[in-house]
Amino acid sequence: MAERSTAAVDVADNSGDNPLTAKADKATTDGVTESIDTADTAEQSTNGTGGERKATEPSIATPELHSGHKLARRYRLEECVTRLDGFSSWRAVDEKLRRAVGVHLLPADHPRARSVLAAARSSALLGDPRFVQVLDAVEENDLVYVVHEWLPDATELTALLALGPLEAHDAYQMVTQVSQAMAAAHREGLAHLRLTPSAVLRTSTGQYRIRGLAVAAALRGISSDTPQRSDTEAIGALLYAVLTQRWPYESDAYGLHGLPKGVGLIAPDQVRAGVHRGLSELAMRALVNDGATASRQEPPCTTPDELVKAVGEMPRIRPPEPAFTAPPEYQRTTYQQGTYGRPAAGPGPSVTQPVTPPPPALQGRTGKALKWAVSALLIAALGLGSWQLADALLNRDKGGSTETGNTQTTDHGNGDGDKPKAPVPIKIQDAQEYAPDGSPQNADSVKDTYDNSTKTYWRTKSFDEGPDLVPSVKTGVGIVYDLGSAKDISTASILLRYGGDHTTITLYATDSLSPSTPVSSMKQIATVKTSDNKADLKASTPVKSRYVLLWMTAMPKSPQDIYSRAGFKQAITDVKFAG
């Protein structure tokens, strides 16, 4: 199956197993690694116009796989995100293309395995960039797995709603892009049926992308007799949620509170003040099944195409004007204020400084004589200086040198010439993990070591032996940094996540982001051994190189945390070079 070069986002979410039209949704936690009783979830069903869970299926055990397991000698499983209904979802690494991917796994004898494969292959053929792309769908070694994109720069709509309702322009963009994408999918015969807030992602550029097209419903055995109506109502529920930060049914779901009991479905502009009237009516037209809203008597939207048309008929909502920040009040400098500057603000009466009167002008013959004398001295000084300058230039042209006493001065004090130059920071342009043994640690997080944030980091795996990796574990782990062009490297500052006995780091000058020579043949810049959370390295003499290898050969023992087990490990949060 053709591969697409994009990065990806999460996998199967658990944010409620029922479609949006179920008025009593029960939401489960999204993105947690825990086993869920499939017998309980199989008994849930819906009673609206949306998709239905198929008849109760026998409990199927999720395949027992672990981090580090490889599929097709290519996809290395990193972290289990979801276990549900006999399938599991993972964050993984495509070692061939060196990128993160998401993987859904289920046994080949699972009753939904055939439908999942068919849905994944149909979704992959769509090729619409508004959807998270399916990259591979394979049955192999009694396993069925679906590989899809992983978008590291995207944020779930669930996370955005946790911060509050969206602005009218953002809500308009969301409903426009999502409805257009779903209309295109339905024209190709594909439905979603699980269009929840966690299925919609917003990228860093403001584009909305949809994950789980056809596959999410197939994984959970959801079907519908009216798929267009189900997806349209789901879009209406999403629009309702971003306008009000409330779920449009009585039950709480997806981290949102439902509507008050017994009031029925009320328009968004009656739930929260300041809601855009046109968007409020649009949400009701997509949600209400038996007619139109009371205010406009517009017909309901029952398909994504009708919803796209309704959005197009609305006046376009423009982004809000940027807030104007008044510039700070102009402050006069001391030079401008002079003797007549503003009095200093403070308690007590202000005191005006006395003004020194200028000296009186010279009068009479004596004054004129002094003027002529000063003028003559100035002319003589200028002539002497010009002669000396010309003499120095002539001597230099003849290869001679001026005498020290006439043209050169020597500063024996503590002038600028005696001060050592401060190191100049060097900006890192790119980086790549260096793993000569073919076993990288966390290649996708390398950029987190030079993003000027101490909250993100690149981490190693946890090793059972240490702190020295050589020779029992491996020769070392490291990252190669690209400085853009050859620079003189004299110092480096490295922030570490774990302290303790001990971390050893050495810097080497190398020839490329993927060095062709072993570490033993590289030129060493500096080395340090530390038990602190910071490592400072200083070269005895600056070394000029474009590429610098940070090579770690020892790391302290640290307890288990939410990302890795206990063992000898280290993480780098920030790297800075100077020269």
Side-chain angles (χ1 to χ4, degrees), residues 185-414:
H186 278 282
R187 284 194 290 270
E188 298 298 326
L190 292 172
H192 197 292
L193 305 183
R194 286 259 325 152
L195 205 52
T196 65
S198 57
V200 178
L201 312 164
R202 187 172 72 180
T203 66
S204 56
T205 59
Q207 301 300 310
Y208 288 89
R209 298 187 66 180
I210 302 170
R211 67 181 175 203
L213 178 66
V215 177
L219 283 167
R220 290 164 175 79
I222 297 172
S223 63
S224 174
D225 295 331
T226 56
Q228 294 203 54
R229 174 64 244 178
S230 299
D231 283 343
T232 305
E233 187 172 351
I235 299 172
L238 294 176
L239 178 57
Y240 196 104
V242 300
L243 292 174
T244 64
Q245 203 184 11
R246 299 289 290 265
W247 195 237
Y249 305 107
E250 291 186 353
S251 310
D252 297 346
Y254 312 107
L256 302 174
H257 291 296
L259 297 178
K261 304 287 184 181
V263 300
L265 183 60
I266 55 178
D269 55 1
Q270 297 177 17
V271 175
R272 189 177 73 88
V275 172
H276 188 277
R277 179 70 178 275
L279 292 176
S280 175
E281 293 179 354
L282 187 67
M284 295 298 289
R285 291 177 65 185
L287 279 170
V288 177
N289 294 314
D290 54 356
T293 59
S295 58
R296 291 274 304 276
Q297 295 299 315
E298 294 286 351
C301 299
T302 58
T303 67
D305 275 319
E306 291 179 0
L307 189 56
V308 170
K309 183 179 179 181
V311 173
E313 292 172 350
M314 288 178 54
R316 185 172 180 177
I317 301 176
R318 299 189 177 276
E321 294 292 334
F324 174 75
T325 304
E329 183 183 356
Y330 177 71
Q331 299 290 336
R332 290 188 178 182
T333 63
T334 305
Y335 173 78
Q336 291 166 322
Q337 290 176 3
T339 311
Y340 299 95
R342 298 174 183 174
S350 60
V351 179
T352 304
Q353 296 181 357
V355 179
T356 304
L362 296 175
Q363 301 294 333
R365 293 183 179 180
T366 303
K368 291 180 178 180
L370 284 174
K371 289 180 182 179
W372 282 108
V374 170
S375 300
L377 287 174
L378 288 174
I379 293 171
L382 289 172
L384 180 61
S386 301
W387 176 81
Q388 288 180 335
L389 178 61
D391 186 55
L393 293 174
L394 288 172
N395 285 337
R396 187 185 67 179
D397 292 339
K398 293 178 181 180
S401 60
T402 58
E403 294 184 9
T404 305
N406 293 334
T407 61
Q408 295 182 356
T409 59
T410 303
D411 185 4
H412 296 288
N414 294 324

Side-chain angles (χ1 to χ4, degrees), residues 129-184:
R130 293 170 291 193
F131 295 92
V132 173
Q133 299 295 298
V134 172
L135 306 175
D136 214 347
V138 180
E139 180 179 356
E140 182 182 63
N141 297 331
D142 299 326
L143 282 177
V144 167
Y145 57 89
V146 177
V147 183
H148 62 87
E149 288 183 282
W150 188 277
L151 303 176
D153 68 333
T155 306
E156 286 185 8
L157 192 58
T158 309
L160 297 176
L161 287 174
L163 303 177
L166 301 187
E167 295 288 341
H169 174 72
D170 292 332
Y172 174 78
Q173 289 296 321
M174 187 279 296
V175 72
T176 301
Q177 296 180 36
V178 172
S179 60
Q180 289 175 352
M182 288 310 306

